[in-house]
Every structure is written in structure tokens, then in C-alpha cells.
């Protein structure tokens, strides 16, 4: 093949990696079988190995995305895919409000917009089980849920005001090398609205809503209030909602040669 062909291929690879300000800055999460917060009779969920963004998507990265795909700009997005709060912290289609930081987590982003962003990079939103699995780690242990200090720290972060205004990377990386799963913003998952829990991988016909008393009976850890808060949020929102402290990051399946 010609030298020109190889040069073109190399340019295309670089474009894919850097065109939205998003490098391939991901870490490998080694999957396992684990008991999530909600599960009946010690229901075990299997999470396969996957890659996850080290940081939440930033304002700068999302700005580069809407430059490339103007259908997701503030004035052009279809109302079906984003409500009136979409990009509320932007002056216009291509400018953030004064005081907004380029390296802060992108918020006021709908699920549809977050999914489109990840799709364009050949990635996807993490599933709820993947997100919860990665987020149950602290700095030292892959499963820190039994630690009182772990849950207390997360609750303290959730109670802190205006954490969405901080730049990404503010909080220590966890066991996997992932930053800011807690303590910055809430994050979209691909199946955020599947908070109807019961049975193996939540696919059988017996469904209990999170807000019903019967759902709490299926919880595996009634003391994990921080996780209760996350499930409650997920169960109360719709895909076109854009919320002040709700951002996202991308995941990716591992390609098997």
C-alpha cells in the first residue's frame, strides 16, 4: 500500500482520538459477580470487563462536540431530546456563561445528548450495574461498601453545595484509577430508568418500584443511604431532562481480537 494511504489512516486515527478534546483516557475495570444494592435473595449481577473514562466529560469537550454536530447546540436541539433547561449555563450555542469553567463537568445535558456524544466516539454510556460496580471502590479497595467511612464521605459530598462548579479531578482517584464518581456531579447511565428491581438482572415479571415499601425489602444494604439517593434520582427523571448537577462519562466494551 502507498505511503499516502498510511498517512491518511494515521490522520484519521488522530482525528478520532482528539477531535472533541477527548483523548483515549480510559481505564480498564476488571469485572466480577457482585450483589448490587437492590436484589432479592442475594441476587448476583455479573459485570464483564469494560473500559471507563477516567474523568466526567467536561464543558470544553462538550463544546467541541456541538461545534462538530450543530444539531446538539442549544438553539437547535429538538425538544423531544432535551427540555428547556438544556445547556442553561451557556450564553448561546458556542459560549459558556461568565464564570463557567471549561474543565468543569458538563451538566444540563440530557440523556439523549450524552448518549450521542459517547456514540460519536465509538463509546457508550455505562450501564447502571457497571457504574455502581466501579463506584463502590474507594482509594484502596474495589468494594468499600462495608466501610462506615466510605458511606459517610459520599454523603458528605452529596450534601456539599455547588460541587458541579469544581473542575474535574478534584477528588482522589479510586481503586481503578477513576476520578469523581462521587463528590462532583451525578451521572447518567444507559439504563437509568430501569429502577424496577427484582429477580435475576431485573428481567423477570415481578417488578417493585423503588419508592414502594416492598422495594426496600429487596435492598441488600439498607444502610447504604448514598446509593438509595442515586437510585431515587434515577427513578424520578426522564431522558430529556437537563439538570444542574447531572453530567456523564463514557464507557466502552473491550474488543476481543
Amino acid at each position: 500500500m502507498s505511503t499516502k494511504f498510511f498517512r491518511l489512516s494515521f490522520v484519521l486515527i488522530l482525528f478520532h482520538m482528539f477531535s472533541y478534546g477527548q483523548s483515549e483516557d480510559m481505564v480498564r475495570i476488571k469485572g466480577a459477580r457482585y450483589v448490587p444494592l437492590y436484589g432479592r435473595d442475594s441476587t448476583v449481577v455479573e459485570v464483564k470487563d469494560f473500559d471507563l473514562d477516567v474523568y466526567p466529560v467536561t464543558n470544553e469537550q462538550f463544546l467541541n462536540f456541538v461545534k462538530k454536530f450543530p444539531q446538539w447546540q442549544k438553539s437547535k436541539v429538538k425538544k423531544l431530546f432535551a427540555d428547556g433547561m438544556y445547556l442553561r449555563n451557556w450564553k448561546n450555542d458556542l459560549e459558556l456563561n461568565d464564570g463557567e469553567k471549561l474543565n468543569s463537568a458538563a451538566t444540563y445535558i440530557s440523556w439523549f445528548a450524552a448518549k450521542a456524544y459517547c456514540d460519536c466516539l465509538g463509546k457508550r454510556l455505562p450501564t447502571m450495574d457497571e457504574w455502581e460496580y466501579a463506584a463502590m471502590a474507594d482509594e484502596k479497595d474495589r468494594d468499600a461498601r462495608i466501610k462506615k467511612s466510605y458511606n459517610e464521605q459520599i454523603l458528605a459530598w452529596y450534601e456539599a453545595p455547588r460541587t458541579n462548579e469544581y473542575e474535574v479531578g478534584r477528588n482522589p482517584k479510586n481503586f481503578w484509577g477513576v476520578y469523581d464518581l462521587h463528590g462532583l456531579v451525578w451521572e447518567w447511565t444507559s439504563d437509568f430508568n430501569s429502577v424496577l428491581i427484582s429477580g435475576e438482572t431485573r428481567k423477570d415479571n415481578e417488578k417493585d418500584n423503588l419508592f414502594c415499601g416492598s422495594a426496600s425489602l429487596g435492598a441488600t444494604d439498607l444502610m447504604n443511604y448514598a446509593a438509595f439517593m442515586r437510585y431515587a434520582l434515577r427513578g424520578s427523571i426522564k431522558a430529556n431532562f437537563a439538570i444542574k448537577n447531572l453530567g456523564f462519562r463514557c464507557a466502552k466494551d473491550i474488543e476481543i481480537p
Side-chain angles (χ1 to χ4, degrees), residues 24-231:
E24 292 296 309
D25 196 4
M26 306 185 83
V27 293
R28 180 66 46 86
I29 309 295
K30 298 292 292 183
R33 292 168 63 84
Y34 83 109
V35 180
L37 173 66
Y38 281 90
R40 293 186 176 279
D41 302 321
S42 298
T43 297
V44 175
V45 169
E46 181 177 3
V47 172
K48 296 181 180 179
D49 295 358
F50 67 101
D51 291 336
L52 187 65
D53 283 351
V54 172
Y55 302 103
V57 172
T58 65
N59 284 324
E60 182 175 21
Q61 290 167 340
F62 201 78
L63 173 60
N64 289 332
F65 166 72
V66 299
K67 287 178 180 178
K68 182 66 178 178
F69 299 95
Q71 66 267 35
W72 291 104
Q73 291 176 5
K74 183 175 183 176
S75 68
K76 298 180 178 68
V77 67
K78 294 181 179 180
K79 299 306 178 185
L80 176 65
F81 300 137
D83 66 12
M85 298 291 286
Y86 181 70
L87 298 181
R88 187 183 181 188
N89 56 337
W90 292 37
K91 284 183 181 180
N92 50 50
D93 286 343
L94 299 175
E95 288 185 284
L96 301 173
N97 285 344
D98 294 339
E100 294 289 333
K101 301 181 180 67
L102 287 173
N103 202 37
S104 290
T107 59
Y108 291 112
I109 307 292
S110 71
W111 179 88
F112 291 108
K115 181 179 183 299
Y117 177 97
C118 295
D119 287 347
C120 287
L121 290 173
K123 301 181 182 181
R124 58 175 174 79
L125 289 170
T127 67
M128 184 165 59
D129 285 330
E130 287 173 339
W131 196 98
E132 289 291 330
Y133 176 77
M136 71 187 189
D138 64 5
E139 293 124 276
K140 296 181 179 179
D141 299 304
R142 61 193 297 168
D143 187 355
R145 292 177 297 175
I146 63 172
K147 294 182 180 179
K148 182 180 179 182
S149 58
Y150 164 83
N151 291 298
E152 288 178 344
Q153 178 65 70
I154 294 174
L155 285 172
W157 277 330
Y158 286 176
E159 293 170 358
R162 301 169 68 173
T163 53
N164 61 293
E165 297 178 7
Y166 297 132
E167 294 185 328
V168 300
R170 171 184 173 85
N171 301 305
K173 64 182 178 181
N174 72 4
F175 174 88
W176 302 108
V178 180
Y179 289 84
D180 301 319
L181 286 169
H182 305 290
L184 195 66
V185 294
W186 307 89
E187 295 185 9
W188 284 110
T189 63
S190 61
D191 54 346
F192 72 95
N193 55 357
S194 62
V195 193
L196 297 174
I197 311 299
S198 70
E200 181 67 21
T201 64
R202 296 185 293 274
K203 291 182 181 178
D204 62 41
N205 293 324
E206 180 190 2
K207 295 180 172 67
D208 293 315
N209 191 281
L210 171 68
F211 301 104
C212 296
S214 56
S216 64
L217 296 176
T220 57
D221 183 1
L222 295 178
M223 296 303 293
N224 195 343
Y225 297 121
F228 269 108
M229 292 171 67
R230 292 194 296 275
Y231 280 88

Side-chain angles (χ1 to χ4, degrees), residues 3-19:
T3 302
K4 183 177 181 181
F5 174 83
F6 283 111
R7 286 177 178 173
L8 177 61
S9 298
F10 181 70
V11 169
L12 290 173
I13 291 171
L14 289 178
F15 176 78
H16 175 75
M17 291 176 64
F18 302 113
S19 58

